[in-house]
Amino acid sequence: MDMRERVNTALKQAMKDKAVDRLSTLRLINAAIKDRDIAARGEGNEAGVGDAEVLAILGKMLKQRHESARAYEEGGRLDLAERERAEVAVIEEFLPRQLGKAEIDVAIENAIAETEANSIRDMGKVMGLLKQKYAGQMDFGAVGSRIKDRLSA
């Protein structure tokens, strides 16, 4: 089952269960996917976005929710922070398991070897390969500095 079908199935189930908060988050996910589909059609891709792009959308949504929850906590709005965390839990259901530190190190080494990267100038190739293979499984913001350290050594 592809990502779209999983989201739509969960959306229908949330409607049946009358789970209002879950339904709201699933509708947000669906809207983001459809919005990206429209943009893709404008670029000539009539099929819309694939699973890798959906994972990227979910990753971006997850990051936004974490940042919002942190901002709400700092502002003393714990009720809003809790709502953001509830949305995070729903979004995480659709993301693959996050890789551990050791697994990320192995993935970086493999990507460096596969792209034959030997300097910091090759960082884009390595990041591109990692994003292609491990979309939604690692935080690429944190991985970037690790790749940079590895290629600088």
Side-chain angles (χ1 to χ4, degrees):
M1 182 182 313
D2 73 346
M3 292 298 292
R4 272 176 218 275
E5 291 174 27
R6 286 182 55 204
V7 171
N8 285 327
T9 301
L11 190 106
K12 289 173 188 172
Q13 189 60 47
M15 284 181 193
K16 288 178 186 173
D17 296 343
K18 296 185 181 2
V20 178
D21 293 336
R22 180 174 172 76
L23 181 61
S24 172
T25 304
L26 290 168
R27 284 183 173 152
L28 285 172
I29 293 170
N30 217 7
I33 293 169
K34 286 180 181 179
D35 186 48
R36 187 65 192 109
D37 273 343
I38 292 167
R41 282 190 211 108
E43 297 166 1
N45 182 1
E46 293 302 318
V49 296
D51 280 355
E53 183 74 21
V54 172
L55 287 174
I57 291 167
L58 292 176
K60 184 177 180 182
M61 290 178 77
L62 193 68
K63 186 176 181 182
Q64 289 170 338
R65 299 308 180 281
H66 281 299
E67 290 171 1
S68 295
R70 192 172 25 252
Y72 286 139
E73 280 180 353
E74 290 171 3
R77 297 295 309 265
L78 299 180
D79 56 325
L80 295 175
E82 193 56 41
R83 187 184 323 154
E84 293 293 324
R85 279 197 206 86
E87 287 185 8
V88 164
V90 173
I91 294 168
E92 284 179 338
E93 291 176 27
F94 299 97
L95 290 172
R97 180 186 68 82
Q98 295 292 300
L99 297 178
K101 188 177 187 316
E103 293 170 310
I104 290 173
D105 288 336
V106 169
I108 289 171
E109 290 302 319
N110 290 341
I112 288 172
E114 192 172 327
T115 59
E116 298 175 358
N118 52 20
S119 73
I120 199 75
R121 289 187 195 127
D122 299 323
M123 187 171 162
K125 291 181 201 173
V126 177
M127 283 294 279
L129 183 63
L130 288 173
K131 284 182 179 180
Q132 182 182 9
K133 288 186 174 184
Y134 301 102
Q137 293 182 301
M138 61 177 75
D139 177 12
F140 291 103
V143 169
S145 63
R146 290 165 73 175
I147 294 171
K148 192 180 293 184
D149 291 343
R150 170 63 179 77
L151 290 175
S152 298

